[in-house]
Every structure is written in C-alpha cells, then in structure tokens.
Amino acid sequence: MVKGVDKVGLGGSIRAVERETLNDRVYRELRTMIMSGGFAPGSEMKLRDLAQSLHVSPMPVRDAIGRLVVERALKMLPNHRVIVPETTIDEFLEIRRVRILLEGEAAALACQHVSPDVIASLKRIHEKIKSLSGNKQRQFWALNQEFHFTVYEAAKSPLILSMIESLWLQIGPVFNHIPINLTSEGARGHQRIIAALGAGDAKAARAALTEDLMKGGDRIIAALIQDKQPAH
Amino acid sequence: MVKGVDKVGLGGSIRAVERETLNDRVYRELRTMIMSGGFAPGSEMKLRDLAQSLHVSPMPVRDAIGRLVVERALKMLPNHRVIVPETTIDEFLEIRRVRILLEGEAAALACQHVSPDVIASLKRIHEKIKSLSGNKQRQFWALNQEFHFTVYEAAKSPLILSMIESLWLQIGPVFNHIPINLTSEGARGHQRIIAALGAGDAKAARAALTEDLMKGGDRIIAALIQDKQPAH
DNA sequence: ATATTTGATTTGTTATCACAAATCACAATT
DNA sequence: AATTGTGATTTGTGATAACAAATCAAATAT
C-alpha cells in the first residue's frame, strides 16, 4: 500500500507521463477516420450511435465532435445535426487557395531545416508511391499524405503544421470518396519537391509544391464535376 | 393551442431561427473576453469558477474551453490545466508570418469584391482612429480590429476569414496586456490600404497590408522585449 | 386524396453526481 | 531547518438522467 509503487517500473522504464483521456482518444479516432475516408461526405454523425460503437458514453463523443466542428472537419447544420461536409467545387478551390499559401510557406521554411534524414525519407516514400500498381486510391492518398507531412514537419512551425492538418482534414472525405483518375504524373511533382529541398532552394520548393497542388487539385475538380453529373 | 402560433410573430418578425444554446453563448462570451483582453496571459481558466461567474453548470464551460483550446486561443498544459497563452517572441513571429500570408491574401481578394460602402466604412473607421487622443490602447485595438475585418469580410472567403479570426484570437491577450508605444504612424498604413482597395490593385493591397503588419508587429516585439526585462 | 395535426420517437443539450488525478498544507522525521 | 510522507481540497473527467427541440408517422379533418 506504499504510494508511488506503480510509478517505479521494475522493467526500468518510468511510466509514461502522458495521460490519454477518453476525450482525446475519441477525438483522435474520429479524426483519423475522417481523414482516411472512414465516413462518406453527407453522412450524419449521431452521438449515441458513435458512443455505442466506440464503447463510451455520449459525453466524450460530444466533446470530440464539438472540437471537430470548430476546425471545420465536421459541419453543424442549423438543426444542430452534425454531418461530414459535402465539399462543393467553390469550397474546394477556397481550400486549395489557402493550402498553396500555407503549404508553400511550409516548404520554403523546410529548406532552412532540411536534413539528409528527411531527404532519405522523402525518397523512400516517393519510391513506394511509384511502385503502387493500379488505382489504389486509398494507399496513394495515405502515402501522399505521408510525403507532404514529412516536408511540413521539417518546417518546424507548429502553428503552420496544425493549420495544414486542419485543411487536410477538410478535404480527406473528398479524396477518399470521389473516384479519381490516378495518373503517374504526380510523381514528377514530388521529384521536383525533393530536388528543391535538397538544394535548399526555398523559392523552387514553394513553386514545386504549388504546382503539385494545382495539378492534383485539377484532377480532383474534374472528378467532382463528373461526380455531380452521373447521367449521360 | 394552434401549433406554430409562436412562430408567427405579430410584430412582423419571424422568431429567430437561430437557436442560442448555452454552449454557444459561453463560447462566444469567452471568445470575446479573450480577444478584448479580458484575461491576462498566463491566467488559469478554472471550470467551476467560470461556471459560477457565468451562472451555468460546468458542462457548457467545459465544452467552450475545449473548443478554444483547439483553435489555440487557450492552451492546455500537460497537467490538463488550461491557461491563456503567454506568447513568446518566436511564437509571435510565427503568427505574424501566417497573418501576412492570410491577411495579405484576403486583402488581395477583397479588391475583387470591394464596394463604395466598404471604402466608406474604412474611411470612417480610419478617421475615428486618427482622432483617438492619447494612449488609449484598448480603443485603438478595437478600432484597428474593426478596420481590418472590414477588409477581410470583403474578401468573401469564409475559410480565410475564420482562420484569420483564430489568429487574432491568439494575439488578443498580447495586444491588450503589453503596454505598446502608440505612434500615429499606423495611420499611414491604413491610408495606403484604403487607396489600394479603392484602385482595385490587388498587389498593392497585399503589399500595404504586409507593411502594416510588419510595422505594427515590430512595435509589439519591442514591447515584448521591454516587458521581459523590467529591471535596469 | 391531400394537408394538417398530434403523439411517439429520436437526437442534441445540460445539470448533477461519482470518480480520478493533481495540488496544497501540514505534520512527522531525518 | 529541510525534506518527505500523508491527508484534505481542488480541479478536470466521464456517466447517468432529465430536458428540449426536431423529426417521423399515423390519424384525422377538410
């Protein structure tokens, strides 16, 4: 009954100081599911349903949903019902505009902090993407995400990183639920980003990233238009 | 006992469709207080205290604080205690960097939508600021805020607007709690912004706004440095 | 047959309460 | 005198339950 006995691990490692609350767990789980396409755009997020499937009370779910609404990952209708947003083309363009600003800035900043490790990681992910066969949209999206965030983390700006995360969260459902024509073009864009970072050329890095987002965005927009007119 | 009788206002106005929950009210009130300097940086936000002073249960306060933590208006320490952030110089520079990106973009976008009304409003606010006597820091901050957001609302981009709001929320406590040397220089910056918007010159608008933020930021940074070394 | 009402069900909102972790204050011991 | 242990208090976390608003469906009236 001696206090603190459970803090001195016999295995030699002190107990992790991080306390994982249910709030945080639910928030992180929902976040991951949204980002990876776990929910279709337009689907309703019902408190009690989610609570039951996550085996918690409605309260932490409510909390997590509230947070996600603030960062626009979910949308609250006037009825106070919460849905995964259905992104219009205008909204997508709006997001892309901001992404170019922030992710371009991050790429430029990354040039000041880039290390051989980062370059190596980027090349490794790049190879994985190139070796992706067929139209494996989900895998492409996940690897693409890994590639981009490797760059953004190198920028060493927690504020910019969190804002970019929020933007990706908003377009996650689109990427994962609209069938996109994946060509191998995207690879060249990543190649240019790696080159610019390797050279420490901030201007080139921003330009390369901007072009990547523009090209990729154009494909999404085309898919969005096609998706809106299923007939004929 | 006819249903809907309370929806058809006899005064001619339909009952407001907006349902104002306690959550929202508390959130909005805390938000306003933070932005306008109601809390000093570093002060703790205690659930039960706030609940008591707002005459609600701790639950809506908890909800509102959670949201504000997500948008970085409040900061959660590892102990899970929540405080108003104390902004370091590095953090301030980080925020300014992003502000220049987003607010510059907003100014450029505003050029496409600017109307005589907007120009008139800006001039009116500008006159008010110029007529401000003495070092009325609070009033200056409030009017400055009004001026800038008049521009940003004209940009017609809800996403950019909400992101800018979040950034202002983060620097609100700084502006209102660090004594700043208010010179009349700021006025010229606003004058240039009005001119650029009036001419519909997006490039000039972005440049004018950037300079305004840089100049203003420099004064804040000077104040932050002075504030950190009170002795000698 | 259509529209409206009314009751039942669902769903979000909020207070109360029980619990857990952290902090604080005081005492005991070295 | 300083430090460590111990209990009390404070503070955040999460579940339950009561409440309110919205939705849905069936029944009624026109």
Side-chain angles (χ1 to χ4, degrees):
Chain A
M1 190 71 101
V2 181
K3 189 175 173 188
V5 69
D6 59 340
K7 286 188 183 172
V8 183
L10 276 72
S13 72
I14 306 297
R15 197 249 304 263
V17 286
E18 297 287 337
R19 168 168 54 136
E20 167 93 329
T21 64
L22 270 186
N23 261 334
D24 297 337
R25 186 172 72 78
V26 171
Y27 171 72
R28 204 164 33 75
E29 253 168 65
L30 290 181
R31 204 174 204 275
T32 305
M33 287 186 74
I34 293 169
M35 176 95 78
S36 65
F39 303 103
S43 61
E44 290 197 0
M45 307 289 282
K46 287 186 247 191
L47 236 51
R48 288 168 175 83
D49 289 359
L50 286 172
Q52 194 165 5
S53 68
L54 292 169
H55 301 100
V56 297
S57 88
M59 206 47 67
V61 177
R62 181 177 148 59
D63 194 279
I65 286 182
R67 296 196 218 173
L68 290 165
V69 168
V70 171
E71 44 187 348
R72 293 167 163 264
L74 297 175
K75 186 176 183 177
M76 181 173 282
L77 303 179
N79 338 338
H80 283 207
R81 265 175 167 66
V82 173
I83 61 170
V84 179
E86 305 199 56
T87 308
T88 66
I89 292 175
D90 280 350
E91 285 164 344
F92 184 82
L93 287 170
E94 202 183 347
I95 295 172
R96 183 172 74 173
R97 178 185 293 278
V98 180
R99 283 186 66 198
I100 288 171
L101 287 174
L102 292 183
E103 299 182 32
E105 184 76 11
L109 281 173
C111 289
Q112 303 174 8
H113 304 285
V114 73
S115 68
D117 283 10
V118 171
I119 298 290
S121 291
L122 290 175
K123 283 183 176 165
R124 185 179 47 75
I125 302 166
H126 180 56
E127 290 306 318
K128 268 199 205 169
I129 292 177
K130 280 203 297 187
S131 73
L132 222 55
S133 62
N135 250 20
K136 312 219 168 167
Q137 192 169 331
R138 281 285 176 86
Q139 285 99 318
F140 172 79
W141 166 250
L143 284 170
N144 186 52
Q145 179 178 344
E146 203 182 334
F147 181 90
H148 279 259
F149 276 90
T150 301
V151 176
Y152 306 147
E153 269 159 29
K156 303 290 179 204
S157 171
L159 176 62
I160 292 180
L161 183 61
S162 80
M163 294 179 87
I164 293 174
E165 274 177 5
S166 168
L167 292 171
W168 279 63
L169 208 46
Q170 291 176 55
I171 52 173
V174 179
F175 273 74
N176 285 287
H177 282 274
I178 308 284
I180 295 163
N181 189 16
L182 287 179
T183 68
S184 55
E185 292 179 46
R188 187 150 50 246
H190 286 183
Q191 189 63 56
R192 283 185 55 205
I193 293 171
I194 295 175
L197 254 63
D201 185 341
K203 198 161 189 168
R206 190 194 299 268
L209 210 133
T210 299
E211 196 189 328
D212 189 42
L213 294 189
M214 288 296 290
K215 288 263 177 69
D218 286 346
R219 283 208 296 282
I220 308 278
I221 291 166
L224 277 173
I225 291 171
Q226 199 158 8
D227 187 75
K228 191 177 277 183
Q229 307 164 335
H232 91 276
Chain B
M1 189 69 104
V2 181
K3 189 177 175 187
V5 69
D6 59 341
K7 286 187 182 171
V8 183
L10 276 71
S13 72
I14 305 296
R15 196 252 301 264
V17 287
E18 299 285 337
R19 169 166 55 129
E20 168 94 330
T21 64
L22 273 183
N23 259 334
D24 298 335
R25 186 172 72 79
V26 171
Y27 171 72
R28 205 164 31 75
E29 252 167 68
L30 290 181
R31 203 175 205 275
T32 305
M33 287 186 74
I34 293 169
M35 176 95 78
S36 65
F39 303 103
S43 61
E44 291 197 2
M45 307 290 282
K46 289 188 246 190
L47 236 49
R48 287 170 175 82
D49 290 358
L50 287 173
Q52 194 166 4
S53 70
L54 292 170
H55 301 101
V56 296
S57 87
M59 205 50 66
V61 178
R62 181 178 143 58
D63 195 279
I65 286 182
R67 296 196 219 172
L68 290 164
V69 168
V70 170
E71 45 187 346
R72 293 169 163 264
L74 297 175
K75 185 176 183 178
M76 180 173 283
L77 303 178
N79 338 338
H80 285 207
R81 264 177 168 67
V82 174
I83 62 171
V84 179
E86 306 198 57
T87 308
T88 66
I89 292 174
D90 279 351
E91 286 165 343
F92 184 84
L93 287 170
E94 203 182 347
I95 295 171
R96 183 172 74 172
R97 179 185 292 279
V98 180
R99 284 187 65 198
I100 287 170
L101 286 174
L102 292 184
E103 299 181 31
E105 184 77 10
L109 281 173
C111 288
Q112 303 173 8
H113 304 285
V114 74
S115 69
D117 284 9
V118 171
I119 298 291
S121 291
L122 290 175
K123 283 183 176 163
R124 185 178 48 74
I125 302 166
H126 180 55
E127 289 306 319
K128 269 198 205 170
I129 292 178
K130 279 203 298 188
S131 73
L132 223 55
S133 62
N135 250 20
K136 312 221 166 163
Q137 192 168 332
R138 282 283 175 86
Q139 285 99 317
F140 172 79
W141 166 250
L143 284 170
N144 186 51
Q145 179 177 344
E146 203 182 334
F147 182 90
H148 278 259
F149 276 91
T150 301
V151 176
Y152 307 146
E153 269 159 28
K156 303 290 179 204
S157 171
L159 175 62
I160 292 180
L161 183 62
S162 81
M163 293 179 89
I164 293 174
E165 273 177 6
S166 169
L167 292 171
W168 279 63
L169 207 48
Q170 291 177 54
I171 53 173
V174 179
F175 273 74
N176 285 286
H177 282 273
I178 307 284
I180 295 163
N181 188 16
L182 288 179
T183 69
S184 55
E185 293 179 45
R188 188 149 51 246
H190 286 183
Q191 189 62 55
R192 284 186 54 204
I193 293 171
I194 295 174
L197 253 62
D201 186 341
K203 198 160 189 167
R206 190 194 300 268
L209 211 134
T210 299
E211 195 189 328
D212 189 42
L213 294 188
M214 289 296 291
K215 288 262 176 68
D218 286 347
R219 283 208 297 280
I220 309 277
I221 291 166
L224 277 173
I225 291 171
Q226 199 159 7
D227 187 76
K228 190 176 278 183
Q229 305 164 338
H232 93 274

